[in-house]
Amino acid sequence: MKHILLAPALLLSTAVAAQTPADHAAPDPQRLRDNVQTLVDFGTRHTLSSATDPERGIGAARAFAADRFRTISKDCGGCITVETIGETVTGDRIPQGVRVEDVLGIQRGTGDPDRVIIVQGHIDSRVSDVMDASSDAPGANDDASGVALVLEAARLLSRERFDATIIYAALSGEEQGLFGGELLAKTAAQRGWTVSAVLNNDVVGNSNGIGGQHVADQVRVFSEGLRTVADAEAAATQRAIGGEDDSPSRALAKAIDRVASAAPGRLEVLAIRRPDRFRRGGDHTPFLKRGYPAIRFSEVVEHYDYQHQDLRTEDGRVYGDTIDKMDFDYLARVTALNMDVIRELAAAPAAPASVDIEGAVSADTTVSWAPVKNAAGYRVHWRRADQMDWTDARNIPADQTQAVLEGVIIDNNLFGVSALSADGAQSVVTFAGMPGGSGATGVAAEAE
Ligand SMILES: [Zn+2]
């Protein structure tokens, strides 16, 4: 079979142009620890705790996050705009209603500012009783770890300039029902953002599992396969074309895996073929409901005695989410990977909005795609349909939006296209024939 083949090693050498150069400072474990400690010191950050007490409660914690963004912005000549978005919500776990607020640091893109990369963690915490807003709820790992990661990424990435906008987000209301994630996803839709990626970091700072395992060199990336947002017709199409492993969320997970593999010394990505932990969800879920590409980072082995627990010792067994159980070198490595991914995707053009293929009952396959603003070129990917990762690729000049792959049989292969920047940064791959394309513009939201 005539098969155009690029060796994987050759592909890798050109695939990640934006990998960490030597002059990029690495995330600092001590700063991560200091920020987690500060968050823990607010006593509780329960969503129903005080919004006005300057020392204890969710309000003080949110003020701290906003203050950190402002300080970082001062050091970069005002490159980050600090914004708080909020709305009053009610729910099973907020029966009286409360104003949920997300604190955002917005680093505006220099070339394509309406395109955004979101990196987020949730600032609220809880203990055993999800309605207990007064007991100490340190939430060190869940999820001060994620917020500390966001703040450290903002501090370091604010020294650089990117084509796309980066949104650093500290979300509230997660434990009461993903309200902060919903608020930000809704905001993305209302403001018409093109969302290239949502990186949700939740429970990312511990390397010791409840079963005694220690895993400090891997991280899980959870992504959906079949799309939450697909209606019956779209789901039927995704199934019919074999697109179960190439949704926008899964394609983002594969891009993260690619970036991690290309940067020496990075964590190994476990690209978990599930939207979240078994039958659970997180603040990326509201984005999936709107069709945006969104994934969750979490540590590999969790310790459940240290999550959602009242601080106590029972029969010599210690419970509670306290800072002493965390691994800040590990959290620094998860932060570094997030930063690599943000650099790559914020420097790359948008992913093609849609990709089509033709070639049934033919020896060849024709791939065509929607042109991408500012793309310096494209890369057509394919793989034999019994593989999960792209194995073959061909670069196409920027003035073309179609490629004929001679001798590549459509029935036996899967296809996709990414967009390239001049220095080789690569977008997420848009799967050929996928209903909803790259997902970057979301879909019409259900009833609000
Ligand atoms: Zn959490």
Side-chain angles (χ1 to χ4, degrees), residues 122 124 141-143 174-175 201-203 277 281-282 296 308:
H122 70 86
D124 60 305
N141 194 32
D142 185 10
D143 182 35
E174 199 268 356
E175 305 289 9
N201 286 272
D202 196 353
V203 186
R277 287 91 47 86
R296 174 191 185 128
H308 302 182

Side-chain angles (χ1 to χ4, degrees), residues 213-429:
Q213 315 95 321
H214 174 70
V215 180
D217 57 358
Q218 298 174 326
V219 65
R220 289 180 295 178
V221 175
F222 292 92
S223 63
E224 70 172 9
L226 291 169
R227 300 188 72 187
T228 304
V229 78
D231 59 16
E233 187 184 348
T237 304
Q238 189 178 4
R239 189 167 60 242
I241 64 174
E244 297 93 334
D245 196 47
D246 293 87
S247 67
S249 169
R250 183 65 46 76
L252 173 57
K254 291 182 183 186
I256 293 168
D257 195 5
R258 170 178 69 81
V259 168
S261 304
R266 287 295 183 251
L267 292 169
E268 180 189 349
V269 167
L270 303 187
I272 305 290
R273 264 68 181 170
R274 240 179 211 159
D276 205 315
R277 287 91 47 86
F278 186 66
R279 301 183 73 86
R280 298 172 73 180
D283 275 330
H284 55 310
T285 308
F287 290 90
L288 296 174
K289 286 183 176 166
R290 289 168 186 272
Y292 295 121
I295 58 87
R296 174 191 185 128
F297 281 103
S298 285
E299 64 205 27
V300 174
V301 287
E302 296 176 69
H303 200 307
Y304 308 107
D305 289 353
Y306 306 158
Q307 295 178 10
H308 302 182
Q309 293 284 351
D310 291 334
L311 300 178
R312 67 194 193 280
T313 301
E314 274 177 19
D315 302 328
R317 194 162 178 162
V318 177
Y319 293 87
D321 189 359
T322 51
I323 192 168
D324 54 300
K325 294 139 182 168
M326 290 176 65
D327 177 344
F328 287 94
D329 289 328
Y330 178 70
L331 177 54
R333 295 187 73 185
V334 182
T335 307
L337 177 55
N338 270 262
M339 288 167 52
D340 286 340
V341 172
I342 293 166
R343 280 197 183 96
E344 174 79 355
L345 297 181
S354 62
V355 178
D356 291 320
I357 39 172
E358 289 177 40
V361 296
S362 158
D364 310 325
T365 296
T366 301
V367 184
S368 57
W369 54 93
V372 176
K373 186 169 95 176
N374 297 338
Y378 301 96
R379 185 168 290 147
V380 176
H381 304 258
W382 67 100
R383 66 183 195 262
R384 221 171 58 190
D386 63 345
Q387 304 293 310
M388 287 202 287
D389 296 321
W390 301 112
T391 56
D392 297 71
R394 184 191 294 175
N395 286 350
I396 306 292
D399 60 352
Q400 295 174 34
T401 55
Q402 181 173 299
V404 179
L405 305 175
E406 294 175 358
V408 182
I409 300 168
I410 196 169
D411 299 326
N412 301 353
N413 294 277
L414 301 168
F415 304 85
V417 178
S418 57
L420 306 173
S421 71
D423 62 2
Q426 186 183 171
S427 76
V428 171
V429 176

